[in-house]
Each structure stands twice: as C-alpha cells, then as structure tokens.
Amino acid sequence: ALWCLMMSVTPTRGCLLDLPWEDILVPHILCHLPLQQLLSLQRVSKSFQSLIQLYLANMRCFDSSQIGPAIPRAAFVNLLKDNEVLQQLALQNCSEWLTDRELLLVIGQNHHLHQIQLKGCAQLSRHALVAISLSCPHLRQLSLAHCEWVDSLSLRSLADHCKALEAVDLTACRQLKDEAICYLVQKCGRLKSLSLAVNANVGDVAVEETAKCCPELEHLDLTGCLRVKNDSIRVLAEYCPKLRSLKVKHCHNVAESSLSILRSRGVELDVEPPLQRALVLLQDVVGFAPFINLQI
C-alpha cells in the first residue's frame, strides 16, 4: 500500500516524503504496515532508510514473529539501537539466537516496558531476569514459559522491583518451588493471571498463598501440578471471588468435591464433571451416548 502511494504521487502534487514524518508518516501510515515490509523499504533510497530508522526509534511495540525466528543477532540489535520508548517486547521462541547480551542491550535503554514475552528463549540466563527487574519497574505482563533457567533468586528480584505485575507465565519453570512462588505473590498482590503449569515442585503451599495474597486473581493455570490437592482448591474458592478460569488437568489429587464449589460459581474449568466424563468415555467405547435423564 505504501509503495503504491509512493509511486502515485506526481511532481505537481509533491513527494510522499514531503509529508511531515513524525506527525503523519510515522504515526498514521507506517504503523499500519508489517515490519518485514518496512525493513524492505529501507532499500528504496537513503531518504526512506532515514524514515524507517526514525520509525524504529519511535516504535512502541516490537514482535519478532513479524520478521521470523531466524533474525540475525546483529540485525536485532541494530533495529532497536536508537529506541528508548518500547512498551511491548515479544521475543517468543527466539532460542536459536537470543542471548543475555542482545536482550540486555535493549532492556537497558527501555525503562517503559510493560509487556515482555520470552517464551521458549532457552539461551538466556538468570541475569536476564534480574536486568528486567531492575530496568522495568512498570512491568505488568511477563511470559517466561519454558525458560528453565529461571530460579528462585532471579524471581525474588522480579518480585522486589516489579510490584505492578498483573500477569506472569511460569509454565515449565522447573527450578521453582513453593517458596519462590510464595515470595512472588506476597510482593505482587495485583496479579490477575498466573501460570504454574507443568511444575511438579508446586503444591498446596504455593496455591494457598497465591489465593490469600492475590484477591484480584482471575486466571490460574495448574496443569500438571501433581502435588496440588483439594485443600488448596477450597482455599482458592474462598479467597478469590473474581476467579474466572482454573486449569487443573492432570492434577490427579484434585477431585470434584473441591471443584464443584467453583463450578457452581460459573468458573471455567478445563475438566468436565464426572458424569459428563463418563458419558464421553462411554460414547468412545460403544460409539453412541445412551439417553440419560440429567434432571434426576
């Protein structure tokens, strides 16, 4: 679209680049184009290169998926070298190239970040999380899913410095135990969404402390937390009146006796009631579901 617009202007009408860059082109035109296309436009002319560099320096959101997971390290650093106003940074599944060195260069000069996505970034270390906690005091959303380098000390740093956190994804952060989760929720009582999924070290202690410290909690993912039992689910029901969804699939020690309390409140659960599960299993076996009067 921008290329067609550029080619359509005539000398009598003036050049596209004659429009105010910061007031018109950057906020009202370039922001609607894919990042990959914007980078290609840098090759059109030196003027376009300067325009795109201005855009990159003022970009509020960077999502690596718009370019592709195989972006060169040097290219990533170069793209954001002049940017100090980023608010959202999404680098999920960049494990092939993203290390502490590249991330810290960006984090160190962007203190207004409130959303960071690092899912699957396996080459980072605890130093990355410490740097985030020290540089991003306004952070509200953080995904560290499948980042097994996250440990209790780096999580404590996050809790101490980022008290405005509302959503944290710690899926498969297998080093974390109840004590680390308890410290996080004690310091970050504004949490609305928390994932502790796929962590066999998380049990009732962490869930109960989360319930008592985070009354605004709306979403909790405990998928595969084998040590979680009915008692903590009952505490969750008592202390979290705003809870909207709970995932407890593969939590073999959580039964309907505790889930029914939440189910009666309309909380979305990822496991079906026992009767419904029985009907599904029966249908799988015999190929049809017999008529049963569910009102009985």
Side-chain angles (χ1 to χ4, degrees):
L2 181 57
W3 176 261
C4 293
L5 181 59
M6 179 185 71
M7 297 301 294
S8 67
V9 295
T10 64
T12 57
R13 295 177 181 173
C15 175
L16 175 68
L17 295 175
D18 289 337
L19 293 172
W21 289 15
E22 295 189 29
D23 295 331
I24 300 296
L25 293 182
V26 170
H28 297 294
I29 296 180
L30 298 187
C31 64
H32 297 292
L33 296 178
L35 184 57
Q36 185 68 56
Q37 186 173 350
L38 290 174
L39 298 180
S40 298
L41 283 173
Q42 291 186 103
R43 299 193 293 268
V44 173
S45 68
K46 290 184 178 180
S47 295
F48 265 98
Q49 184 180 19
S50 298
L51 173 61
I52 301 307
Q53 288 176 349
L54 176 65
Y55 172 80
L56 293 173
N58 289 276
M59 188 167 49
R60 298 296 196 273
C61 175
F62 179 84
D63 187 344
S64 62
S65 65
Q66 295 182 10
I67 305 176
I71 175 176
R73 296 177 180 178
F76 168 72
V77 174
N78 186 61
L79 286 176
L80 298 176
K81 62 183 175 62
D82 298 320
N83 193 305
E84 298 180 359
V85 295
L86 270 182
Q87 296 180 0
Q88 301 177 39
L89 179 62
L91 299 172
Q92 61 270 24
N93 299 317
C94 294
S95 59
E96 293 185 4
W97 60 269
L98 184 66
T99 67
D100 289 356
R101 180 181 177 182
E102 294 79 37
L103 182 63
L104 267 57
L105 287 173
V106 175
I107 295 296
Q109 63 188 33
N110 283 280
H111 305 293
H112 303 287
L113 281 163
H114 57 77
Q115 293 183 27
I116 299 178
Q117 165 68 266
L118 297 175
K119 178 181 178 181
C121 294
Q123 291 194 54
L124 298 177
S125 75
R126 54 181 297 204
H127 301 295
L129 186 53
V130 173
I132 289 172
S133 65
L134 296 176
S135 299
C136 307
H138 308 294
L139 194 63
R140 295 202 302 270
Q141 298 181 27
L142 177 62
S143 174
L144 299 168
H146 302 281
C147 294
E148 298 195 18
W149 44 266
V150 177
D151 61 10
S152 59
L153 290 177
S154 57
L155 193 69
R156 287 175 72 93
S157 179
L158 179 73
D160 285 335
H161 297 95
C162 299
K163 295 183 172 60
L165 280 168
E166 296 180 357
V168 180
D169 189 345
L170 299 173
T171 299
C173 293
R174 304 176 194 275
Q175 290 194 56
L176 301 178
K177 299 181 180 180
D178 283 348
E179 182 182 2
I181 303 303
C182 289
Y183 192 87
L184 174 69
V185 298
Q186 288 166 2
K187 296 287 185 175
C188 302
R190 301 181 186 178
L191 281 176
K192 295 182 180 180
S193 177
L194 177 63
S195 176
L196 304 174
V198 198
N199 191 334
N201 294 318
V202 171
D204 285 343
V205 173
V207 176
E208 291 181 15
E209 194 67 14
T210 299
K212 294 175 181 177
C213 295
C214 303
E216 303 295 317
L217 193 67
E218 297 179 1
H219 307 282
L220 180 60
D221 190 347
L222 300 173
T223 303
C225 294
L226 303 179
R227 295 177 56 228
V228 173
K229 302 181 180 64
N230 284 322
D231 289 344
S232 61
I233 301 301
R234 293 191 181 96
V235 174
L236 191 67
E238 178 181 357
Y239 284 89
C240 296
K242 297 183 179 181
L243 192 67
R244 295 168 52 192
S245 70
L246 174 65
K247 295 183 179 181
V248 289
K249 188 171 289 185
H250 307 303
C251 295
H252 304 303
N253 294 314
V254 174
E256 184 64 20
S257 58
S258 60
L259 294 177
S260 60
I261 305 171
L262 294 169
R263 203 184 298 278
S264 65
R265 283 174 21 193
V267 176
E268 180 182 346
L269 303 173
D270 64 342
V271 293
E272 297 174 336
L275 177 58
Q276 186 65 32
R277 289 202 300 270
L279 288 176
V280 171
L281 290 173
L282 183 60
Q283 184 173 6
D284 290 341
V285 172
V286 302
F288 69 93
F291 173 77
I292 297 178
N293 186 353
L294 298 179
Q295 296 180 345
I296 298 177

